[in-house]
Amino acid sequence: MIKSILTAAICCCTSAAMAQTYEVPVSEEHEKMLTGKYQPTWQSLETHKTPEWFRNAKFGIWAHWGPQCVEGSGDWMARGMYIEGSDQYKYHKKHYGHQSEFGFKDILPLFKAEKWDPEKLVERYKRCGAQYFFVLGNHHDNFDLWDSQYQEWNSVRIGPKRDILDGWAKAAKKAGLPLGISFHADHAWTWYEPSQRYDQNGSKAGVYYDGKLTKADGKGKWWEGLDPQKLYAQNHPMSDRSWNNGQIHAQWGWGNGACPPSEEFVTNFYDRTLDAINRYNPDLIYFDVTVLPFYPASDCGLKIATHFYNKNPRGVVFGKILSDDQKRALTWDVERGAPNQIISEPWQTCNCIGDWHYNTSVYKHGYRTSENIVKQLVDIVSKNGNLLLNIPLKADGTYDEKEAQFLDELEAWMTPNGESIFGTRPWVKFGEGPVAEKVIEINAQGFNEGQYNGMDYRDVRFNQTKKYLYATAMGWPKDGKLVIKSLAKGNPDFKKSITSVYLLGYGKLKATQTADGLVVNLPQPCNKIAPVLRINK
């Protein structure tokens, strides 16, 4: 097993802070980290506070979109296509050819974005309630979606022949929405390792895939002059147990036998990320990593976060699987899930109505419903969180008719009920009901959303402003009678007598406080998802 590349901190008794050396220090030869208030240490970054604008925003939409959408076979397609026997492998081989002859690099020119209209899309998302907008800068496929000066495999040279980030950034600015960019390419080093493999069965057994090709191999090909290793980053030994397809998850934090990244690769990611930050001036940065890019092997992620905070003090940097101390320096992101309690520091769930990249199989079998997502949003907000929701786009830059229906339904609920979401804060308790009372654990990055399915009118979630308390039931009771136990007569948390409530989207209703709870007789449903009661404080 390759030894873990975590290097112990070196104690230096200085008045500043404990110094630390890193096995793979990043070079600032090309891109200089902006200096200022913040330094690349946890002690310094902990002084940055998640800004109030983000706490008020509550809901963002993400265009998790790039060349892996071409085949419509879903997320991690550029890895899965090299895993013999997988559905993505079979689809690619059937429709495009064997992976030794037609690899992911050859998919890139097929990503055309020919119907992409960023202004129209961002405006549509804004009507659905999005208060910030996120885009993909690069994914694990290592393809940059801008005019990248440090990555020759980019969307201006190949495929759309357009600066995708520039188009998104201008559209977000026109719509008045804060811009977020996600960067995932730091894991290309291990993520692409299956491209070094070969078939173990069939007529092509023993024939290597294209992951080890070099610039010299491109003579006479469409990609002549380009270096495949700048894309695949596979000029290194495979990680321990790399042929075990699930091993990458245990190695996500650069331990457990992951092949250590080179300084050149780490610095290239650093340069590219600072290049995008300096050009497009995002307000939010998302990393699909444990803590920060290459942490704890490198200071790369700390320097990126420091540069970003010094450039944009109102900015937000997200990290996953954070310690309590790290949650003070970064904003915690939970993937496809949520904690079942109020979290003192602002946090975010990232989720998707289907697969992260467009998947025709999900289209056929159905996306998550607007009812499911709204309930998740309400639950998250009650716990001091935000929801970032991906609406997968097809390779041409459009969403399908089922996604259009989802957006219509989301807008229909958000328009009258958005006041109970935006600008609110948690109440003394986040909710009541069967799901609220369950013990629900986080699995790694999150992945516990299934525990929240099936919420009904008995589950009520609370949040508040200075003027109002909002109580949202996760469904409409069939008999119209809603009883909110937490607001019973004599309860210690809301001592004001309640004789009436306001049902958003409908009007004023009478209410009665009993020893069992606040009793409200609801009218016929005025929306298809969840009733929201507004109560004067």
Side-chain angles (χ1 to χ4, degrees):
M1 179 184 294
I2 298 176
K3 186 179 180 180
S4 171
I5 55 179
L6 170 60
T7 303
I10 300 177
C11 295
C12 297
C13 297
T14 66
S15 59
M18 182 180 290
Q20 186 171 357
T21 58
Y22 296 90
E23 183 145 336
V24 192
V26 72
S27 169
E28 294 184 50
E29 178 183 354
H30 302 297
E31 292 288 338
K32 301 293 184 182
M33 182 192 75
L34 186 64
T35 58
K37 177 181 178 181
Y38 301 101
Q39 302 298 320
T41 67
W42 288 111
Q43 293 91 335
S44 178
L45 297 182
E46 283 176 12
T47 65
H48 180 271
K49 299 300 180 184
T50 303
E52 288 297 295
W53 76 259
F54 176 76
R55 298 191 69 190
N56 291 331
K58 302 303 180 187
F59 180 58
I61 286 184
W62 192 359
H64 191 285
W65 176 62
Q68 289 184 80
C69 297
V70 168
E71 296 190 16
S73 59
D75 198 36
W76 284 32
M77 165 265 162
R79 174 180 165 89
M81 63 170 281
Y82 293 108
I83 296 177
E84 184 180 12
S86 71
D87 290 343
Q88 291 170 325
Y89 168 94
K90 294 175 184 176
Y91 184 91
H92 178 87
K93 183 178 178 182
K94 177 180 178 180
H95 291 89
Y96 298 96
H98 190 261
Q99 286 78 347
S100 63
E101 301 163 351
F102 197 104
F104 184 70
K105 70 182 185 311
D106 303 293
I107 289 293
L108 298 176
L110 305 180
F111 175 53
K112 298 293 188 182
E114 62 269 27
K115 297 181 181 179
W116 177 54
D117 187 338
E119 285 190 14
K120 183 178 179 181
L121 288 166
V122 174
E123 281 295 339
R124 182 73 184 93
Y125 300 149
K126 185 177 181 180
R127 294 202 309 272
C128 293
Q131 303 293 297
Y132 54 101
F133 175 65
F134 246 96
V135 300
L136 200 66
N138 50 42
H139 200 249
H140 309 314
D141 60 21
N142 215 20
F143 183 76
D144 282 356
L145 291 157
W146 75 92
D147 189 15
S148 179
Q149 62 176 316
Y150 299 108
Q151 172 57 298
E152 59 191 35
W153 298 85
N154 66 65
S155 64
V156 174
R157 294 190 62 169
I158 305 166
K161 303 293 178 70
R162 299 174 68 178
D163 189 323
I164 301 297
L165 279 192
D166 183 63
W168 283 130
K170 289 177 178 175
K173 183 177 181 180
K174 184 175 181 179
L177 295 181
L179 174 70
I181 305 176
S182 67
F183 300 96
H184 311 241
D186 51 308
H187 272 95
W189 183 268
T190 52
W191 190 82
Y192 261 137
E193 284 186 6
S195 69
Q196 296 191 45
R197 299 180 188 175
Y198 48 81
D199 282 0
Q200 295 181 301
N201 303 287
S203 61
K204 293 282 188 178
V207 178
Y208 282 92
Y209 304 148
D210 70 332
K212 281 285 196 178
L213 290 178
T214 66
K215 187 174 182 178
D217 295 316
K219 189 173 182 179
K221 306 289 179 60
W222 73 264
W223 47 275
E224 184 173 358
L226 295 171
D227 183 358
Q229 288 313 305
K230 298 291 186 182
L231 179 70
Y232 295 132
Q234 291 307 299
N235 193 18
H236 64 81
M238 297 174 80
S239 299
D240 183 45
R241 291 167 287 171
S242 182
W243 281 75
N244 177 349
N245 297 325
Q247 186 64 17
I248 189 172
H249 301 292
Q251 298 170 341
W252 206 247
W254 299 100
N256 296 320
C259 179
S262 68
E263 183 177 339
E264 179 185 7
F265 180 75
V266 171
T267 297
N268 179 255
F269 177 82
Y270 167 85
D271 288 340
R272 289 154 66 185
T273 306
L274 261 62
D275 177 41
I277 290 171
N278 293 338
R279 289 195 197 196
Y280 307 107
N281 299 304
D283 301 287
L284 313 99
I285 297 294
Y286 172 104
F287 296 116
D288 189 10
V289 299
T290 301
V291 187
L292 282 170
F294 303 108
Y295 187 81
S298 175
D299 57 351
C300 173
L302 285 169
K303 285 190 171 182
I304 293 173
T306 300
H307 176 88
F308 181 61
Y309 284 161
N310 282 330
K311 183 176 177 59
N312 185 353
R314 297 177 70 250
V316 181
V317 177
F318 297 101
K320 299 180 180 180
I321 314 183
L322 304 178
S323 68
D324 289 341
D325 289 342
Q326 291 164 346
K327 288 175 184 176
R328 289 194 288 270
L330 308 173
T331 300
W332 183 36
D333 182 86
V334 180
E335 183 174 350
R336 291 190 184 271
N340 207 24
Q341 63 188 57
I342 295 175
I343 303 299
S344 59
E345 296 289 339
W347 59 281
Q348 174 182 268
T349 287
C350 60
N351 212 329
C352 181
I353 65 171
D355 212 344
W356 286 112
H357 279 102
Y358 192 81
N359 192 328
T360 54
S361 178
V362 175
Y363 166 75
K364 292 176 183 177
H365 294 99
Y367 295 104
R368 296 181 64 183
T369 65
S370 56
E371 177 181 0
N372 181 275
I373 292 298
V374 165
K375 289 181 180 180
Q376 183 181 55
L377 171 64
V378 172
D379 179 72
I380 289 166
V381 170
S382 74
K383 300 168 183 173
N384 203 29
N386 288 29
L387 172 63
L388 176 61
L389 182 66
N390 175 42
I391 309 294
L393 295 175
K394 295 183 288 185
D396 64 5
T398 63
Y399 49 75
D400 61 49
E401 71 278 6
K402 292 182 180 179
E403 292 174 300
Q405 181 180 350
F406 173 92
L407 292 171
D408 288 343
E409 293 172 354
L410 179 61
E411 181 181 359
W413 189 88
M414 292 289 275
T415 298
N417 295 294
E419 70 167 79
S420 69
I421 300 294
F422 311 124
T424 62
R425 296 292 183 271
W427 189 43
V428 295
K429 60 191 300 186
F430 75 85
E432 66 179 46
V435 175
E437 296 164 6
K438 288 172 61 175
V439 176
I440 300 178
E441 301 291 344
I442 295 287
N443 300 316
Q445 297 100 313
F447 302 113
N448 65 357
E449 62 181 346
Q451 296 288 319
Y452 293 96
N453 292 336
M455 289 188 287
D456 59 28
Y457 70 92
R458 296 171 297 170
D459 266 289
V460 178
R461 297 295 178 266
F462 304 103
N463 51 355
Q464 64 179 335
T465 61
K466 291 182 179 179
K467 190 175 181 180
Y468 301 117
L469 172 68
Y470 293 95
T472 303
M474 300 299 203
W476 294 80
K478 291 183 178 179
D479 62 0
K481 184 179 180 180
L482 180 64
V483 180
I484 303 176
K485 297 178 181 179
S486 300
L487 297 177
K489 187 175 182 179
N491 81 86
D493 298 320
F494 196 91
K495 297 180 180 180
K496 182 179 178 180
S497 178
I498 304 172
T499 58
S500 67
V501 298
Y502 188 90
L503 175 62
L504 298 188
Y506 180 83
K508 192 173 182 180
L509 299 174
K510 291 183 179 180
T512 304
Q513 284 182 293
T514 70
D516 294 324
L518 179 69
V519 181
V520 181
N521 291 311
L522 299 173
Q524 289 296 312
C526 57
N527 67 63
K528 295 182 179 180
I529 300 176
V532 183
L533 301 180
R534 186 178 72 198
I535 303 166
N536 290 321
K537 291 171 68 175

